[in-house]
């Protein structure tokens, strides 16, 4: 295994290669191989950017046909047939069946681009500058997204001061006995609170990087009611939790809410190709032409794969399979929690976006290392890195899922020998 080129020439900022010190060469479904031929079950999936697995043929075959046809690859925001096909598929297969109506904005291709656009539009629409954001939130690595993120180590990035953010407690923070929604409602309605009315509230229904903290349906519904009561725009960052990760396409569906703005990226393309969109309540769409831009907002390869991904959600056999796999994963994790109470405090997350809150960062570190040695890719999350993230592809086969869980079980079992 030759890593000389990376160590000699790649920046110190590289991260995942340090956690997984091998050279990968190919992947299919939930399995990825290194150049020695060793297979690994992938419970990392590009940090949630490959929900549909590696090289899913239902998604890639239309794209391969597109590539060999001398078709448009980059189009800025010009009209193309691929873009039209994606918009129609997204509306027909995703929005309409859920009774949702949004305008679709194509910003730059990453999640943080989508969040920056959403924040800018909320401020433009309301004329207010501050944004209310939550403890342990993570919204991206550009300055506006960093400002509304919760982790101290994250917010220190960028090297400049970030203002106009009101930090409030997430659901269940600092404990389940505290009603953070009522607190937010009170301070927004109390002229003596010292907290000005924000342009928007931005939230993740599941805080992936924050420790797999999960908002309840009543809490999400109450936050939406509070936003409407006080004239505040509700932005849902569904970058990591969306595009099918929780078992529904949108992670907020279970709460039966309709956010004013929704940000999607990561697995939106279904292929790992960069793509993001901002879904905007029609009356909020007050952008002037060209007012918000991004050179790579016209990634037509991603439009093709995203369109194929959307069509999967019209296939009842596919959606039933996702639901069944989510139940299977949750059952597996319940057994691990019951089996290893010395190391695991609780299960977190929902559907196929799951986590195991461990009793220390050291436990997670040892589990990570043993799992990697035995052929499983996992990562940690949370402010103390004491949560094991479990993110298999939503299309994972039963055999791959069982094998991955068996490796995780063994890694936990070996804690006794540490």
């Amino acid at each position: 295994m030759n890593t000389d080129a990376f160590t000699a020439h790649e920046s110190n900022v590289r991260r995942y290669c340090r956690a997984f010190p091998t050279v990968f060469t190919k992947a299919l479904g939930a399995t990825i191989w290194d150049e020695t031929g060793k297979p690994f079950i992938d419970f990392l999936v590009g940090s949630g950017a490959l929900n549909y697995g590696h090289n899913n043929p239902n998604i890639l075959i239309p794209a391969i046909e597109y590539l060999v046809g001398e078709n448009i690859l980059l189009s800025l925001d010009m009209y193309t047939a691929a873009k039209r096909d994606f918009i129609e598929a997204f509306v027909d297969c995703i929005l309409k069946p859920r009774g949702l109506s949004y305008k679709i904005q194509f910003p730059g291709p990453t999640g943080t681009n989508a969040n920056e656009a959403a924040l800018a539009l909320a401020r433009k629409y309301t004329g207010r500058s501050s944004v209310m954001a939550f403890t342990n939130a993570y919204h991206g690595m550009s300055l506006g997204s960093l400002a509304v993120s919760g982790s101290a180590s994250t917010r220190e990035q960028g090297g400049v001061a970030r203002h106009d953010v009101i930090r409030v407690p997430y659901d269940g923070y600092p404990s389940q006995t505290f009603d953070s929604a009522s607190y937010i409602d009170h301070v927004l309605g109390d002229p003596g609170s010292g907290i000005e009315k924000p342009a928007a509230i931005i939230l993740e229904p599941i805080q992936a990087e924050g420790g797999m903290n999960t908002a309840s349906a009543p809490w999400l519904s109450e936050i939406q009611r509070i936003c409407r009561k006080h004239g505040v725009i509700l932005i849902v960052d569904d970058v990591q939790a969306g595009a099918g990760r929780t078992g529904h396409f949108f992670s907020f569906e279970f709460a039966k809410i309709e956010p004013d703005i929704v940000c999607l990226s990561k697995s939106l393309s279904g292929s790992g190709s960069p793509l993001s969109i901002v879904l905007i309540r029609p009356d909020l769409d007050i952008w002037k032409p060209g007012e918000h831009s991004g050179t790579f907002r016209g990634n037509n390869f991603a439009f093709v794969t995203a369109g194929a991904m959307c069509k999967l959600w019209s296939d009842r056999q596919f959606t039933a399979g996702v639901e069944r796999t989510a139940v299977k994963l949750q059952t597996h994790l319940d057994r691990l929690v019951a089996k290893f109470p010395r190391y695991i405090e609780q299960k977190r997350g929902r559907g196929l976006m799951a986590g195991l809150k461990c009793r220390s960062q050291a436990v997670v570190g040892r589990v990570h290392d043993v799992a990697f040695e035995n052929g499983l890719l996992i990562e940690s999350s949370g402010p103390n890195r004491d949560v094991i993230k479990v993110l298999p592809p939503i299309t994972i086969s039963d055999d791959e899922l069982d094998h991955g869980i068996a490796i995780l079980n063994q890694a936990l079992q070996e804690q006794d020998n540490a």
Side-chain angles (χ1 to χ4, degrees), residues 96-329:
K96 283 184 178 179
R98 291 160 179 80
L100 299 173
S101 177
Y102 290 111
K103 288 293 193 75
I104 304 172
Q105 178 183 354
F106 296 90
T110 69
T112 197
N113 292 140
N115 286 333
E116 293 279 3
L119 293 169
L121 180 59
R123 286 169 167 142
K124 175 181 172 67
Y125 184 86
T126 63
R128 301 191 289 268
S129 62
S130 66
V131 172
M132 190 168 276
F134 289 94
T135 51
N136 289 314
Y138 175 78
H139 297 290
M141 296 302 292
S142 53
L143 289 183
S145 297
L146 285 171
V148 293
S149 295
S151 168
S153 61
T154 298
R155 287 184 288 110
E156 289 168 1
Q157 304 296 321
V160 298
R162 288 164 292 279
H163 306 291
D164 294 328
V165 176
I166 304 162
R167 192 77 50 195
V168 289
Y170 191 71
D171 190 16
Y173 184 98
S175 70
Q176 293 295 331
T177 60
F178 182 72
D179 186 348
S180 63
S182 291
Y183 169 78
I184 293 166
D185 192 15
H186 182 79
V187 298
L188 288 181
D190 181 3
S193 69
I195 294 178
E196 62 186 86
K197 182 184 292 187
I201 292 178
I202 184 169
L203 64 84
E204 306 155 274
I206 300 179
Q207 295 183 322
E209 303 310 313
M212 305 302 283
N213 307 309
T214 307
S216 68
W219 186 83
L220 289 169
S221 180
E222 184 65 4
I223 293 296
Q224 176 174 267
R225 185 195 67 79
I226 291 165
C227 284
R228 291 176 177 172
K229 172 183 175 182
H230 295 283
V232 174
I233 292 172
L234 175 58
I235 302 172
V236 166
D237 174 350
D238 225 9
V239 168
Q240 188 165 159
R245 172 48 57 189
T246 63
H248 297 103
F249 186 84
F250 296 107
S251 69
F252 56 82
E253 286 184 50
F254 81 112
K256 297 180 172 55
I257 63 170
E258 295 184 19
D260 301 308
I261 300 177
V262 181
C263 300
L264 291 168
S265 187
K266 283 195 180 281
S267 282
L268 177 63
S269 76
S271 63
S273 188
L275 178 66
S276 77
I277 59 176
V278 182
L279 304 179
I280 305 168
R281 199 181 74 204
D283 62 292
L284 298 182
D285 184 26
I286 61 170
W287 288 122
K288 297 177 182 177
E291 188 175 7
H292 195 279
S293 189
T295 300
F296 296 100
R297 63 195 183 279
N299 183 350
N300 283 251
F301 178 86
F303 292 155
V304 174
T305 58
M309 177 276 295
C310 291
K311 292 174 184 176
L312 291 175
W313 289 89
S314 293
D315 180 347
R316 180 56 193 156
Q317 185 174 351
F318 168 79
T319 57
V322 173
E323 293 169 3
R324 182 183 59 81
T325 302
V327 171
K328 185 177 178 69
L329 174 63

